[in-house]
Amino acid sequence: MKRLSVCLLLAALSQSVWALEPADQQRLNGIQQSWAHIQYEVAEKQRVAAFEQLSSEATAFTTQRPAVAEAWIWKGIVTSSWAGAQGGLGALGKAKDAKADLEKALTLDPKALQGSAYTSLAALYDRVPGWPIGFGDSDKAEQLLKQALQLNPEGIDSLYFWGDHLYRQKRYAEARVALLKAQQAAPRPGRETADAGRRKEIAALLVDVNKKLD
C-alpha cells in the first residue's frame, strides 16, 4: 500500500463549533490543538505514538458523546493522521476505521464544522489505493469535495484539498486558482498552528503546480 499522505490530516478541518455545549467545545478544541501540534511540530518519527495517544482521547469523546458529529469528525481525522504517520499495509485498517468515523458523522449532521466530514472523507478517497487493495476512488473524492465546497466555499482546508485533488487529476490551471484562493482564506481563531502548517502545504503545492504550468 502506498504511504498515506501525512497531510491527511486532514484535515485540520474544523471551523466554528458554536453549536456545541461548552464542555464539548472545550474538549474538541483540545483535540484540535493537540492534532496540530503533532502534525506540524512533533518530529516525524515520534508522530505514530503521539497520534495513538490522541486517538484514545478522540475515541473516549465519541464513546461518551455518541450523538455529537464533531466528535466523530475529529476521531476520523486523528485516525487518518495516525494511518498517515504509520504508512504501509498496516495503515489501511486505520484508514478504513477513519472512513467509518467520518461516514458516521455525516449520518448525524453533514453540516457539522461546515462540512468537514466531506473534506476529510474526500482526502481519504484521494489517497488510499483503489480496488482490490483499498477503497480509493478519485471520482468519489471529487463528489465529496464539491459537497464540502458548497458548505464552505472559502475555507482553507476545503480549498486546499480541492486544489490538491485537481493537481492529482493533472488539472493544473484549476488547481492553481483553488490554491491561490486558499491562501486568502480567513484565519481561524484558536487554530493558528493548524493554519500556519496548512499555509506551508499550500505554498509547497503551488510550487509544484507552477512547475507543471511553466
Side-chain angles (χ1 to χ4, degrees):
M1 172 183 172
K2 294 185 297 184
R3 180 180 176 84
L4 288 173
S5 172
V6 175
C7 71
L8 276 180
L9 62 299
L10 284 235
L13 297 171
S14 152
Q15 306 295 328
S16 170
V17 291
W18 61 269
L20 293 178
E21 294 181 5
D24 289 337
Q25 179 172 336
Q26 183 176 8
R27 195 171 190 179
L28 184 65
N29 288 346
I31 292 172
Q32 291 172 331
Q33 291 168 8
S34 294
W35 177 89
H37 170 65
I38 297 167
Q39 184 72 16
Y40 295 117
E41 297 177 337
V42 169
E44 185 174 354
K45 63 182 179 181
Q46 298 173 349
R47 288 178 196 157
V48 172
F51 277 130
E52 182 176 7
Q53 182 175 351
L54 185 58
S55 177
S56 296
E57 295 181 33
T59 298
F61 193 9
T62 58
T63 299
Q64 295 163 14
R65 300 289 286 155
V68 176
E70 292 86 348
W72 289 100
I73 290 172
W74 271 89
K75 183 173 181 290
I77 289 172
V78 171
T79 303
S80 63
S81 298
W82 183 11
Q86 178 181 340
L89 287 175
L92 183 57
K94 293 182 179 65
K96 290 179 178 178
D97 289 343
K99 176 176 176 286
D101 292 336
L102 295 164
E103 289 172 341
K104 173 69 173 179
L106 288 174
T107 66
L108 292 170
D109 182 3
K111 295 182 180 180
L113 303 179
Q114 293 184 278
S116 290
Y118 288 120
T119 310
S120 299
L121 192 55
L124 282 172
Y125 274 107
D126 250 345
R127 289 160 175 76
V128 170
W131 188 89
I133 298 173
F135 58 84
D137 185 333
S138 61
D139 290 338
K140 181 67 173 177
E142 179 151 341
Q143 174 191 338
L144 291 164
L145 284 165
K146 287 179 177 178
Q147 290 175 283
L149 287 165
Q150 286 180 350
L151 292 169
N152 191 15
E154 308 293 334
I156 189 170
D157 289 319
S158 53
L159 287 167
Y160 167 72
F161 283 106
W162 177 234
D164 177 77
H165 172 78
L166 294 170
Y167 175 78
R168 291 168 183 270
Q169 298 303 307
K170 301 182 180 181
R171 294 156 62 182
Y172 303 122
E174 294 175 80
R176 186 174 187 274
V177 171
L179 293 168
L180 289 174
K181 189 174 181 180
Q183 285 187 321
Q184 303 304 314
R188 297 172 292 186
R191 304 299 312 286
E192 290 80 10
T193 300
D195 281 354
R198 183 67 77 215
R199 291 186 190 283
K200 289 180 181 179
E201 291 171 342
I202 292 168
L205 185 53
L206 267 172
V207 170
D208 292 337
V209 168
N210 288 331
K211 287 179 181 178
K212 296 294 185 180
L213 290 171
D214 287 343

